[in-house]
Amino acid sequence: MDYWWIIIILLLIGIIWSAVKQMQKIDPKRFLDNKPKLPPHRDFNDKWDDEDDWPKQKKH
C-alpha cells in the first residue's frame, strides 16, 4: 500500500469536481430576485456599557 496518496488525490478531485458541478447549477439572478429582506440592524452595545467602571474623580 505504497500508493495510498493516490486514493486521497482521487477523492479530493471528486469532491472538487462535484462542487464545481453544483455551483454551475446556481442561478444568481434568480437568487437576487427572490432573496429575503434583512431585518433592521439592532445595536445592543449600549446595554452592557451602562455602568462606569472608572472611579469617579473628585473635583477640587
Side-chain angles (χ1 to χ4, degrees):
M1 205 64 197
D2 292 336
Y3 299 106
W4 59 268
W5 51 273
I6 293 176
I7 296 172
I8 303 283
I9 290 175
L10 290 175
L11 182 67
L12 290 175
I13 289 172
I15 291 171
I16 292 171
W17 186 326
S18 175
V20 168
K21 285 174 62 175
Q22 290 294 322
M23 288 179 71
Q24 287 177 344
K25 292 181 182 180
I26 296 173
D27 185 11
K29 289 183 182 178
R30 190 177 76 184
F31 172 76
L32 290 175
D33 290 341
N34 297 328
K35 78 176 180 183
K37 294 192 175 196
L38 292 174
H41 176 70
R42 289 193 234 157
D43 188 11
F44 293 115
N45 287 338
D46 62 337
K47 302 289 185 206
W48 63 267
D49 202 18
D50 286 341
E51 299 175 355
D52 190 11
D53 295 336
W54 293 95
K56 299 195 179 206
Q57 295 179 354
K58 296 179 182 177
K59 292 183 180 179
H60 290 17

